[in-house]
């Protein structure tokens, strides 16, 4: 959730680290800090403050923070409030650290090491720093100090560590929370994700769990936790630096919504051969798709919403029973899973701790695991037997948009593949299905070109306190995601309901102040849903309708707004209606003057339970 950046080389570290932290700000952003080793003073100088990285930059300009080796951090508070003292880096004795994750036993450690009275903050991180310092004092060997300290910690962590008397070197160790590192022309660097590193390098290495990374100005070394050297393997960054910029859009969210046609193409095309779904690109053999009788889909938030679409489709086309369970519930439940079960996890970041823990649990229970992941080489990808990488490119806005659409697209390919290998779809039917899927980028493009029209719907909800969204069948799954999107970026309460359910309680909340958005794209359910629209209209609701072109709607002018979506077969309407719902959320937040890309309290990568 927090961001980490470190640099050692021949340039001023302050500027490089602050630039990296700005790129990481989307991960968490209630405070920020840097620690720079100053060779004249032979010590690490720290500058930290609450607020955004720009506050840190202003503060750092006024201080003497010269030096070519340092570490930085953007913090999303967990233990201890949002204060300057609680921001990272923390320093104890000769050790300075930044930390992502949570040390669960920090209170016990504080008492065990007798340091309670020396602490300046309320954080678990400062306690961890004291433990590193204790062992560094005892052994004066950084590797041994790290090994000994890490053995004391219960929880998750990615630590970057600099020692006062080891100039020019940065150490890192991790469990669960990610760290990547890279060489540049003028030094080496590490970060909690590629967005920061991609500004400077085209290749990176991933620090494995319980491995130790040592950065010097001209080299990166890797060791196991006991200090034995390991071979370093570098991977290519498969998107360009430009991909992580706004490219003229006011917000990343709008840019990422607009990128969906390309993202979809990039995800679909490598997996279609001769008009049929083909997963050899992902090194998944056809036999794999016959090796299970049941599927579990597990994920969080938006990623879970894509899984719900997947469930509907797989059950319909391939007749394989599918259960969906939110990852944070899955890990504490007793799911009925065995070697004939496939557990599919879905994650944009590939680092969500609940989803990662669910994958590990599924493997322990003997299931086969398949990850649908956007970021290469991440923990969920590494923990899964097979990975289907969505090729959405970097998603920076906290609100997920293009990552969701491509996850849904992967489920369409999977459903078709399963139906084909199980003999429930002929090749001809499958080709027709895939052809329609391939036409979705251009259908989405039409909605993008129509965004001003969709914006008019937002103007009807911008002053609302509560919004309700109704849908049936696939439309229900679409509004689950649309409703989450609206909540998270506009802070307007929104509730998605199967349209038929409104009468069973929630209609009590409908008045002339409540906008109700209906998604009506499923032909066989349309008449029923139009009746539901009338029910809320007659209670005074402001009724806004997203409707598939061609579905008949009498007396259209009686509704507050009707937006027509380009017609496609029912099961494909999810793509266009999703984009319309994303724009509704976006424009509402924009018109409210909110920081659309960085909604309050949220972080892009959720690495705490
Ligand atoms: O990185 P993940 O896909 O695993 O993240 C899961 C959720 O935190 C995420 O989908 C979240 O709900 C969205 N950012 C909301 O837009």
């Amino acid at each position: 959730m927090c961001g980490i950046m470190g640099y050692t080389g021949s340039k001023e570290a302050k500027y490089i680290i602050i630039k990296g932290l700005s790129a990481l700000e989307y991960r968490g952003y209630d405070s920020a800090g840097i620690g720079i080793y100053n060779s004249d003073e032979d010590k690490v100088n720290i500058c930290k403050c609450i607020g955004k990285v720009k506050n840190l930059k202003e503060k750092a300009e006024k201080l003497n923070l010269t030096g070519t080796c340092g570490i930085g951090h953007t913090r999303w508070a967990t233990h201890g409030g949002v204060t300057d003292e609680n921001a990272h880096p923390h320093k104890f004795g000769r050790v300075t650290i930044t930390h992502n994750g949570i040390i669960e036993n920090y209170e016990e450690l504080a008492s065990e090491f007798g340091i309670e009275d020396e602490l300046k903050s309320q954080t678990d991180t400062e306690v961890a720093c004291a433990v590193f310092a204790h062992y560094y004092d005892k052994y004066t060997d950084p590797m041994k100090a790290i090994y000994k300290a890490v053995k004391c910690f219960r929880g998750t962590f990615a630590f970057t560590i600099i020692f006062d008397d080891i100039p020019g070197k940065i150490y890192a160790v991790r469990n669960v929370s990610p760290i990547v590192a890279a060489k540049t022309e003028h030094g080496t660097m590490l970060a909690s994700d590629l967005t920061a590193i991609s500004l400077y390098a085209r290749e990176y290495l991933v620090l494995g769990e319980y491995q130790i990374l040592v950065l010097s100005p001209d080299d990166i070394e890797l060791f196991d936790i006991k200090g034995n050297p390991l071979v370093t393997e570098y991977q290519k960054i498969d998107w360009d630096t430009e991909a992580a910029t706004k490219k003229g859009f006011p917000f990343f969210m709008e840019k990422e919504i607009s990128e969906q046609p390309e993202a979809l193409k990039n995800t679909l095309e490598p997996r279609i051969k001769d008009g049929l779904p083909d997963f050899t690109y992902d090194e998944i053999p056809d036999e794999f798709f016959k090796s299970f009788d049941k599927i579990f889909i597990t994920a969080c938030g938006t990623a879970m919403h894509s899984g719900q679409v997947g469930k509907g489709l797989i059950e319909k086309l391939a007749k394989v029973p599918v259960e969906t369970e939110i990852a944070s519930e899955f890990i504490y439940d007793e799911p009925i899973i065995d070697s004939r079960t496939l557990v599919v996890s879905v994650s944009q970041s590939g680092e969500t701790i609940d989803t990662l823990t669910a994958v590990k649990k599924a493997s322990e229970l003997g299931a086969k695991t398949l990850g649908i992941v956007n970021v290469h080489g991440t923990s969920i990808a590494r923990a899964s037997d097979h990975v289907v990488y969505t090729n959405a490119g970097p998603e920076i806005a906290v609100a997920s948009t293009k990552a969701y659409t491509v996850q849904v697209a992967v489920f369409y390919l999977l459903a078709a593949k399963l139906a084909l290998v199980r003999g429930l779809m002929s090749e001809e039917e499958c080709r027709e299905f895939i052809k329609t899927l391939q036409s979705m980028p251009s259908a989405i493009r039409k909605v993008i070109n129509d965004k001003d029209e969709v914006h008019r719907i937002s103007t009807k909800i911008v002053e609302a306190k509560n919004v309700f969204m109704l849908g049936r069948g696939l439309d229900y799954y679409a509004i689950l995601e649309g409703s989450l999107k609206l909540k998270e970026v506009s802070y307007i309460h929104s509730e998605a309901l199967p349209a038929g359910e409104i009468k069973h309680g929630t209609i009590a909340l409908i008045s002339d102040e409540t906008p109700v958005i209906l998604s009506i794209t499923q032909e066989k359910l349309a008449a029923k849903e139009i009746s539901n629209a009338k029910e809320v209209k007659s209670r005074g609701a402001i009724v806004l309708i997203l409707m598939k072109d061609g579905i008949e709607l009498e007396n259209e002018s009686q509704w507050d707004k009707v937006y027509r979506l380009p017609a496609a077969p029912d099961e494909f309407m999810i793509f266009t209606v999703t984009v319309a719902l994303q724009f509704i959320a976006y424009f509402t937040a924009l018109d409210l003057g909110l920081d659309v890309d960085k909604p309050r309290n949220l972080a892009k990568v959720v690495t705490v339970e």
Side-chain angles (χ1 to χ4, degrees), residues 34 61 114 138 144 146-147 214 218 241 276 282 341 359 371 378 386 414 466 508 525 532 536-537 543 552 577 594:
I34 44 173
E61 290 297 345
K138 188 164 176 185
K144 191 149 188 199
I146 292 171
Y147 171 63
V214 184
D218 52 6
T241 322
L276 295 172
D282 308 287
T341 311
V359 175
T378 44
H386 290 288
L414 278 178
N466 295 295
L525 302 170
N532 300 132
V536 289
K537 181 78 192 158
V543 178
E552 207 176 317
V577 78
L594 298 170

mmCIF file of all heavy atoms in Angstrom, residues 34 61 114 138 144 146-147 214 218 241 276 282 341 359 371 378 386 414 466 508 525 532 536-537 543 552 577 594:
data_model
loop_
_atom_site.group_PDB
_atom_site.id
_atom_site.type_symbol
_atom_site.label_atom_id
_atom_site.label_comp_id
_atom_site.label_asym_id
_atom_site.label_seq_id
_atom_site.Cartn_x
_atom_site.Cartn_y
_atom_site.Cartn_z
ATOM 1 N N ILE A 34 12.215 10.928 3.090
ATOM 2 C CA ILE A 34 13.446 10.388 2.504
ATOM 3 C C ILE A 34 14.565 10.423 3.544
ATOM 4 O O ILE A 34 14.575 11.262 4.451
ATOM 5 C CB ILE A 34 13.940 11.159 1.242
ATOM 6 C CG1 ILE A 34 13.864 12.671 1.445
ATOM 7 C CG2 ILE A 34 13.212 10.738 0.008
ATOM 8 C CD1 ILE A 34 14.487 13.447 0.299
ATOM 9 N N GLU A 61 13.779 20.694 -0.182
ATOM 10 C CA GLU A 61 14.541 21.755 -0.859
ATOM 11 C C GLU A 61 15.261 22.638 0.153
ATOM 12 O O GLU A 61 16.342 23.143 -0.089
ATOM 13 C CB GLU A 61 13.613 22.660 -1.689
ATOM 14 C CG GLU A 61 13.013 22.035 -2.941
ATOM 15 C CD GLU A 61 14.038 21.629 -3.988
ATOM 16 O OE1 GLU A 61 15.187 22.070 -3.886
ATOM 17 O OE2 GLU A 61 13.669 20.824 -4.869
ATOM 18 N N GLY A 114 13.315 -4.097 25.239
ATOM 19 C CA GLY A 114 13.425 -3.027 26.224
ATOM 20 C C GLY A 114 13.609 -1.640 25.621
ATOM 21 O O GLY A 114 14.385 -0.825 26.127
ATOM 22 N N LYS A 138 25.270 -5.841 17.846
ATOM 23 C CA LYS A 138 25.793 -7.091 18.414
ATOM 24 C C LYS A 138 26.799 -7.768 17.475
ATOM 25 O O LYS A 138 27.836 -8.251 17.926
ATOM 26 C CB LYS A 138 24.613 -8.032 18.674
ATOM 27 C CG LYS A 138 24.980 -9.268 19.416
ATOM 28 C CD LYS A 138 23.726 -9.933 19.956
ATOM 29 C CE LYS A 138 24.099 -11.257 20.627
ATOM 30 N NZ LYS A 138 22.926 -11.983 21.057
ATOM 31 N N LYS A 144 24.132 -10.676 8.860
ATOM 32 C CA LYS A 144 23.745 -11.442 10.054
ATOM 33 C C LYS A 144 22.668 -10.684 10.844
ATOM 34 O O LYS A 144 21.719 -11.289 11.365
ATOM 35 C CB LYS A 144 24.979 -11.688 10.918
ATOM 36 C CG LYS A 144 24.722 -12.674 12.007
ATOM 37 C CD LYS A 144 25.958 -13.460 12.361
ATOM 38 C CE LYS A 144 25.562 -14.566 13.336
ATOM 39 N NZ LYS A 144 26.683 -15.089 14.063
ATOM 40 N N ILE A 146 20.431 -8.699 9.617
ATOM 41 C CA ILE A 146 19.149 -8.836 8.902
ATOM 42 C C ILE A 146 18.551 -10.225 9.177
ATOM 43 O O ILE A 146 17.366 -10.366 9.505
ATOM 44 C CB ILE A 146 19.340 -8.590 7.380
ATOM 45 C CG1 ILE A 146 19.679 -7.122 7.144
ATOM 46 C CG2 ILE A 146 18.094 -8.990 6.595
ATOM 47 C CD1 ILE A 146 20.102 -6.781 5.720
ATOM 48 N N TYR A 147 19.393 -11.237 9.070
ATOM 49 C CA TYR A 147 18.931 -12.608 9.302
ATOM 50 C C TYR A 147 18.322 -12.747 10.699
ATOM 51 O O TYR A 147 17.207 -13.254 10.879
ATOM 52 C CB TYR A 147 20.116 -13.566 9.115
ATOM 53 C CG TYR A 147 19.850 -14.985 9.526
ATOM 54 C CD1 TYR A 147 18.879 -15.746 8.880
ATOM 55 C CD2 TYR A 147 20.579 -15.582 10.560
ATOM 56 C CE1 TYR A 147 18.636 -17.060 9.256
ATOM 57 C CE2 TYR A 147 20.342 -16.902 10.942
ATOM 58 C CZ TYR A 147 19.366 -17.631 10.291
ATOM 59 O OH TYR A 147 19.114 -18.917 10.667
ATOM 60 N N VAL A 214 21.363 -6.532 -2.070
ATOM 61 C CA VAL A 214 22.361 -5.525 -1.668
ATOM 62 C C VAL A 214 22.676 -4.661 -2.883
ATOM 63 O O VAL A 214 23.169 -5.151 -3.905
ATOM 64 C CB VAL A 214 23.652 -6.187 -1.140
ATOM 65 C CG1 VAL A 214 24.612 -5.107 -0.640
ATOM 66 C CG2 VAL A 214 23.347 -7.173 -0.017
ATOM 67 N N ASP A 218 27.370 0.323 -8.401
ATOM 68 C CA ASP A 218 27.543 -0.301 -9.717
ATOM 69 C C ASP A 218 27.165 -1.773 -9.762
ATOM 70 O O ASP A 218 27.477 -2.466 -10.721
ATOM 71 C CB ASP A 218 29.000 -0.136 -10.191
ATOM 72 C CG ASP A 218 29.960 -0.622 -9.114
ATOM 73 O OD1 ASP A 218 29.465 -1.168 -8.101
ATOM 74 O OD2 ASP A 218 31.177 -0.450 -9.286
ATOM 75 N N THR A 241 7.847 3.998 -20.876
ATOM 76 C CA THR A 241 7.684 5.007 -19.824
ATOM 77 C C THR A 241 6.440 5.857 -20.077
ATOM 78 O O THR A 241 5.724 6.233 -19.168
ATOM 79 C CB THR A 241 8.923 5.927 -19.816
ATOM 80 O OG1 THR A 241 10.045 5.113 -20.064
ATOM 81 C CG2 THR A 241 9.086 6.652 -18.520
ATOM 82 N N LEU A 276 -9.993 -19.358 -32.847
ATOM 83 C CA LEU A 276 -10.408 -20.107 -31.647
ATOM 84 C C LEU A 276 -9.540 -19.704 -30.449
ATOM 85 O O LEU A 276 -8.391 -19.295 -30.634
ATOM 86 C CB LEU A 276 -10.247 -21.618 -31.894
ATOM 87 C CG LEU A 276 -11.153 -22.199 -32.982
ATOM 88 C CD1 LEU A 276 -10.766 -23.650 -33.271
ATOM 89 C CD2 LEU A 276 -12.624 -22.131 -32.569
ATOM 90 N N ASP A 282 0.272 -18.693 -23.053
ATOM 91 C CA ASP A 282 0.477 -18.745 -21.605
ATOM 92 C C ASP A 282 1.047 -20.101 -21.168
ATOM 93 O O ASP A 282 1.069 -20.406 -19.968
ATOM 94 C CB ASP A 282 -0.860 -18.517 -20.888
ATOM 95 C CG ASP A 282 -1.540 -17.253 -21.386
ATOM 96 O OD1 ASP A 282 -1.078 -16.169 -21.043
ATOM 97 O OD2 ASP A 282 -2.515 -17.364 -22.157
ATOM 98 N N THR A 341 -10.209 -29.603 -8.465
ATOM 99 C CA THR A 341 -10.754 -28.231 -8.421
ATOM 100 C C THR A 341 -9.719 -27.279 -9.017
ATOM 101 O O THR A 341 -8.520 -27.395 -8.736
ATOM 102 C CB THR A 341 -11.019 -27.790 -6.959
ATOM 103 O OG1 THR A 341 -11.746 -28.800 -6.291
ATOM 104 C CG2 THR A 341 -11.774 -26.473 -6.893
ATOM 105 N N VAL A 359 -4.568 -18.024 -2.749
ATOM 106 C CA VAL A 359 -3.892 -18.902 -3.720
ATOM 107 C C VAL A 359 -3.036 -19.926 -2.969
ATOM 108 O O VAL A 359 -3.051 -21.121 -3.274
ATOM 109 C CB VAL A 359 -3.010 -18.081 -4.689
ATOM 110 C CG1 VAL A 359 -2.212 -18.998 -5.609
ATOM 111 C CG2 VAL A 359 -3.864 -17.133 -5.513
ATOM 112 N N GLY A 371 -3.763 -17.938 -12.131
ATOM 113 C CA GLY A 371 -3.867 -16.517 -11.799
ATOM 114 C C GLY A 371 -4.166 -15.697 -13.048
ATOM 115 O O GLY A 371 -3.564 -15.939 -14.101
ATOM 116 N N THR A 378 4.749 -10.885 -10.334
ATOM 117 C CA THR A 378 4.309 -10.514 -8.984
ATOM 118 C C THR A 378 3.996 -11.769 -8.154
ATOM 119 O O THR A 378 3.981 -12.890 -8.661
ATOM 120 C CB THR A 378 3.066 -9.606 -9.071
ATOM 121 O OG1 THR A 378 2.190 -10.150 -10.045
ATOM 122 C CG2 THR A 378 3.446 -8.201 -9.473
ATOM 123 N N HIS A 386 -0.426 -21.764 -13.091
ATOM 124 C CA HIS A 386 -0.443 -21.129 -14.416
ATOM 125 C C HIS A 386 -0.858 -19.674 -14.265
ATOM 126 O O HIS A 386 -1.604 -19.334 -13.347
ATOM 127 C CB HIS A 386 -1.446 -21.824 -15.341
ATOM 128 C CG HIS A 386 -1.017 -23.201 -15.740
ATOM 129 N ND1 HIS A 386 0.006 -23.426 -16.622
ATOM 130 C CD2 HIS A 386 -1.478 -24.415 -15.363
ATOM 131 C CE1 HIS A 386 0.166 -24.729 -16.787
ATOM 132 N NE2 HIS A 386 -0.723 -25.360 -16.031
ATOM 133 N N LEU A 414 -11.689 -18.052 -21.543
ATOM 134 C CA LEU A 414 -11.668 -19.293 -20.752
ATOM 135 C C LEU A 414 -12.967 -20.070 -20.915
ATOM 136 O O LEU A 414 -12.959 -21.298 -21.108
ATOM 137 C CB LEU A 414 -11.483 -18.972 -19.260
ATOM 138 C CG LEU A 414 -10.078 -18.723 -18.753
ATOM 139 C CD1 LEU A 414 -10.116 -18.370 -17.269
ATOM 140 C CD2 LEU A 414 -9.194 -19.957 -18.956
ATOM 141 N N ASN A 466 -27.466 9.524 -2.127
ATOM 142 C CA ASN A 466 -27.536 8.082 -2.363
ATOM 143 C C ASN A 466 -27.932 7.824 -3.798
ATOM 144 O O ASN A 466 -28.812 8.506 -4.325
ATOM 145 C CB ASN A 466 -28.633 7.444 -1.499
ATOM 146 C CG ASN A 466 -28.307 7.566 -0.040
ATOM 147 O OD1 ASN A 466 -27.339 6.990 0.435
ATOM 148 N ND2 ASN A 466 -29.110 8.345 0.676
ATOM 149 N N ALA A 508 -38.074 1.409 0.086
ATOM 150 C CA ALA A 508 -38.433 2.361 1.149
ATOM 151 C C ALA A 508 -37.545 3.602 1.108
ATOM 152 O O ALA A 508 -37.916 4.661 1.608
ATOM 153 C CB ALA A 508 -38.294 1.677 2.505
ATOM 154 N N LEU A 525 -34.788 -10.075 -20.413
ATOM 155 C CA LEU A 525 -35.113 -9.542 -19.085
ATOM 156 C C LEU A 525 -35.593 -8.092 -19.137
ATOM 157 O O LEU A 525 -35.974 -7.514 -18.121
ATOM 158 C CB LEU A 525 -33.873 -9.630 -18.186
ATOM 159 C CG LEU A 525 -33.286 -11.029 -17.993
ATOM 160 C CD1 LEU A 525 -31.933 -10.969 -17.294
ATOM 161 C CD2 LEU A 525 -34.247 -11.890 -17.167
ATOM 162 N N ASN A 532 -39.625 -2.554 -13.338
ATOM 163 C CA ASN A 532 -38.937 -2.090 -12.123
ATOM 164 C C ASN A 532 -38.639 -0.592 -12.226
ATOM 165 O O ASN A 532 -38.736 0.137 -11.232
ATOM 166 C CB ASN A 532 -37.635 -2.861 -11.900
ATOM 167 C CG ASN A 532 -37.852 -4.351 -11.727
ATOM 168 O OD1 ASN A 532 -37.173 -5.167 -12.346
ATOM 169 N ND2 ASN A 532 -38.825 -4.733 -10.912
ATOM 170 N N VAL A 536 -39.947 2.465 -9.527
ATOM 171 C CA VAL A 536 -39.195 3.513 -8.810
ATOM 172 C C VAL A 536 -39.601 4.911 -9.297
ATOM 173 O O VAL A 536 -39.627 5.858 -8.522
ATOM 174 C CB VAL A 536 -37.661 3.307 -8.879
ATOM 175 C CG1 VAL A 536 -37.237 2.125 -8.039
ATOM 176 C CG2 VAL A 536 -37.135 3.180 -10.295
ATOM 177 N N LYS A 537 -39.937 4.988 -10.575
ATOM 178 C CA LYS A 537 -40.369 6.290 -11.129
ATOM 179 C C LYS A 537 -41.621 6.761 -10.387
ATOM 180 O O LYS A 537 -41.748 7.941 -10.016
ATOM 181 C CB LYS A 537 -40.655 6.125 -12.629
ATOM 182 C CG LYS A 537 -41.076 7.388 -13.332
ATOM 183 C CD LYS A 537 -39.871 8.265 -13.597
ATOM 184 C CE LYS A 537 -40.255 9.650 -14.020
ATOM 185 N NZ LYS A 537 -39.175 10.614 -13.781
ATOM 186 N N VAL A 543 -34.898 8.722 -12.813
ATOM 187 C CA VAL A 543 -34.574 7.432 -13.437
ATOM 188 C C VAL A 543 -33.676 7.618 -14.666
ATOM 189 O O VAL A 543 -34.017 8.341 -15.609
ATOM 190 C CB VAL A 543 -35.862 6.681 -13.819
ATOM 191 C CG1 VAL A 543 -35.513 5.355 -14.507
ATOM 192 C CG2 VAL A 543 -36.688 6.390 -12.567
ATOM 193 N N GLU A 552 -37.033 -2.079 -27.171
ATOM 194 C CA GLU A 552 -38.124 -1.102 -27.264
ATOM 195 C C GLU A 552 -38.421 -0.450 -25.911
ATOM 196 O O GLU A 552 -38.456 -1.126 -24.881
ATOM 197 C CB GLU A 552 -39.384 -1.819 -27.757
ATOM 198 C CG GLU A 552 -40.294 -0.854 -28.492
ATOM 199 C CD GLU A 552 -41.492 -1.589 -29.051
ATOM 200 O OE1 GLU A 552 -41.298 -2.703 -29.613
ATOM 201 O OE2 GLU A 552 -42.595 -1.060 -28.886
ATOM 202 N N VAL A 577 -21.561 -1.430 -21.433
ATOM 203 C CA VAL A 577 -22.254 -0.822 -20.293
ATOM 204 C C VAL A 577 -21.237 -0.504 -19.186
ATOM 205 O O VAL A 577 -21.353 0.507 -18.480
ATOM 206 C CB VAL A 577 -23.425 -1.711 -19.802
ATOM 207 C CG1 VAL A 577 -22.978 -2.877 -18.962
ATOM 208 C CG2 VAL A 577 -24.401 -0.879 -18.993
ATOM 209 N N LEU A 594 -13.119 16.567 -7.276
ATOM 210 C CA LEU A 594 -12.327 15.666 -6.429
ATOM 211 C C LEU A 594 -11.046 15.222 -7.135
ATOM 212 O O LEU A 594 -10.942 15.295 -8.358
ATOM 213 C CB LEU A 594 -13.177 14.444 -6.067
ATOM 214 C CG LEU A 594 -14.431 14.796 -5.258
ATOM 215 C CD1 LEU A 594 -15.357 13.601 -5.134
ATOM 216 C CD2 LEU A 594 -14.035 15.297 -3.870
#
